[in-house]
């Protein structure tokens, strides 16, 4: 496939770039602090339908060079457009991709600050009826003993179900549409690959507690910052592209109760 407008890099260059910018953040992480990277598996070797191994190289580098530990590879599914067009739709030797990865790392896993009780999902009506009827009625042993259920299991009501490591959040986002509309009005270039606000909020609720600090070194349209603001977290973000920062500043103009400081570079 073609590179984004930001240009293409080799696997080594990309790995070095990310680790170089993540390292100072990791050095200042509190014990149990988390790092999450939204990355696409849809990167292919030049002129070939075989996938790049950049994700594997990046994962190893963050563990070996920076000292992070891999907690999970969260799969984010959405209504993303079909692709890769060349290899799936034209040459018919690949499959349409339906997900992206959220690579989740922690500096001290046994002290991890994540808490899945902060992001419980609602039970289905079927499950609620199952619980209210007394749960498991007959003892079961499945998978050669790997899974055992005793009579009465799942009979205690809970506040919600634990989030799975496959999350479905549409990539269509009203907040991003408004950001892009406002950027166009100001004659600015809008960020081309923004994250939906709901996904950022979900991760922030799970990974952090209220008042903890959220840092994004690749701010883009400042979705991470906006999500942190809405979830009552402190946050800091950086971004090199003036248009992105100026357009993103418009997303905070309605937050009269917030104390958001946007420092724009001086263009001479």
């Amino acid at each position: 496939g073609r590179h984004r407008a930001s240009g293409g890099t080799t696997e080594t260059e990309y790995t070095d770039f990310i680790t170089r910018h993540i390292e100072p953040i990791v050095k200042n992480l509190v014990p149990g602090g988390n790092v999450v990277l939204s990355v696409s598996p849809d990167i292919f070797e030049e002129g070939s339908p075989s996938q790049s191994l950049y994700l594997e190289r990046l994962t190893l580098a963050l563990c070996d060079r920076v000292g992070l530990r891999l907690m999970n590879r969260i799969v984010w599914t959405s209504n993303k457009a079909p692709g890769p067009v060349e290899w799936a739709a034209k040459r018919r030797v690949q499959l349409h991709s339906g997900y992206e990865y959220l690579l989740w790392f922690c500096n001290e896993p046994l002290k991890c600050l994540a808490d899945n009780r902060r992001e419980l999902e609602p039970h289905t009506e079927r499950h609620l009826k199952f619980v209210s009827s007394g749960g498991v009625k007959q003892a079961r042993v499945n998978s050669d003993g790997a899974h055992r259920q005793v009579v009465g299991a799942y009979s205690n009501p809970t506040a919600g179900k634990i989030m799975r490591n496959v999350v479905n959040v549409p990539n269509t986002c009203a907040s991003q549409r408004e950001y892009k509309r406002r950027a166009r009005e100001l004659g600015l270039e809008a960020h081309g690959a923004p994250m939906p606000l709901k996904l950022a909020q979900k991760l922030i609720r799970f990974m952090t507690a209220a008042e903890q600090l959220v840092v994004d070194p690749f701010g883009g349209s400042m979705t991470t910052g906006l999500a942190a603001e809405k979830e009552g977290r402190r946050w800091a973000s950086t971004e090199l592209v003036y248009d992105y920062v100026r357009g993103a500043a418009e997303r905070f103009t309605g937050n009269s109760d917030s104390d958001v400081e946007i420092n724009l570079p001086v263009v001479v």
Side-chain angles (χ1 to χ4, degrees):
R2 292 177 296 178
H3 296 303
R4 290 189 182 275
S6 55
T9 60
T10 66
E11 294 177 359
T12 299
E13 290 170 338
Y14 180 82
T15 297
D16 290 344
F17 174 82
I18 295 296
T19 52
R20 185 170 67 251
H21 286 80
I22 292 295
E23 186 172 16
I25 295 176
V26 173
K27 286 182 178 179
N28 291 280
L29 271 182
V30 296
N34 297 295
V35 174
V36 180
L37 297 175
S38 176
V39 290
S40 172
D42 305 333
I43 306 298
F44 295 83
E45 295 183 304
E46 190 72 30
S48 171
S50 57
Q51 289 194 325
S52 165
L53 294 177
Y54 89 99
L55 288 181
E56 289 75 13
R57 300 190 198 284
L58 176 61
T59 299
L60 291 171
L62 289 173
C63 292
D64 295 343
R65 299 185 200 173
V66 185
L68 292 173
R69 312 320 303 164
L70 181 65
M71 295 292 288
N72 213 320
R73 299 175 183 87
I74 301 173
V75 175
W76 166 33
T77 64
S78 66
N79 55 329
K80 64 185 296 185
V85 174
E86 177 67 25
W87 305 119
K90 293 182 178 180
R91 302 204 191 186
R92 302 284 182 164
V93 297
Q94 257 294 358
L95 304 174
H96 276 156
S97 179
Y99 70 92
E100 295 183 39
Y101 276 133
L102 303 168
L103 297 180
W104 167 25
F105 302 87
C106 183
N107 62 352
E108 295 188 41
L110 292 177
K111 297 180 180 179
C112 184
L113 297 175
D115 189 331
N116 58 40
R117 291 169 295 186
R118 290 193 294 258
E119 188 52 23
L120 293 174
E121 299 176 346
H123 289 303
T124 63
E125 287 297 321
R126 180 179 179 182
H127 179 79
L128 292 174
K129 290 179 180 178
F130 175 66
V131 171
S132 63
S133 69
V136 175
K137 305 298 189 301
Q138 183 178 354
R140 300 170 184 167
V141 177
N142 300 314
S143 301
D144 293 330
H147 300 286
R148 298 175 181 268
Q149 293 184 351
V150 298
V151 174
Y154 306 108
S155 60
N156 294 324
T158 60
K161 65 179 179 180
I162 296 173
M163 185 176 73
R164 292 181 178 269
N165 65 349
V166 177
V167 297
N168 183 272
V169 177
N171 55 22
T172 52
C173 175
S175 178
Q176 293 290 1
R177 287 196 298 271
E178 177 60 21
Y179 151 71
K180 291 184 176 183
R181 182 193 68 78
R182 184 64 181 137
R184 287 193 297 269
E185 288 180 350
L186 294 171
L188 302 169
E189 179 184 355
H191 193 275
M195 175 189 297
L197 181 61
K198 288 184 179 179
L199 179 61
Q201 288 180 270
K202 178 183 283 289
L203 294 173
I204 285 172
R205 286 193 296 267
F206 171 47
M207 301 284 181
T208 65
E211 294 299 321
Q212 288 183 332
L213 178 64
V214 176
V215 176
D216 185 356
F218 311 112
S221 60
M222 300 294 163
T223 300
T224 300
L226 182 59
E229 186 79 11
K230 288 180 175 293
E231 296 302 325
R233 274 64 168 172
R234 297 177 299 118
W235 63 276
S237 186
T238 59
E239 171 58 54
L240 286 175
V241 181
Y242 173 87
D243 279 19
Y244 297 167
V245 178
R246 178 61 187 88
E250 295 294 305
R251 306 180 76 178
F252 299 90
T253 55
N255 293 345
S256 58
D257 296 331
S258 65
D259 183 20
V260 179
E261 180 180 352
I262 305 292
N263 294 312
L264 298 175
V266 177
V267 179
V268 293

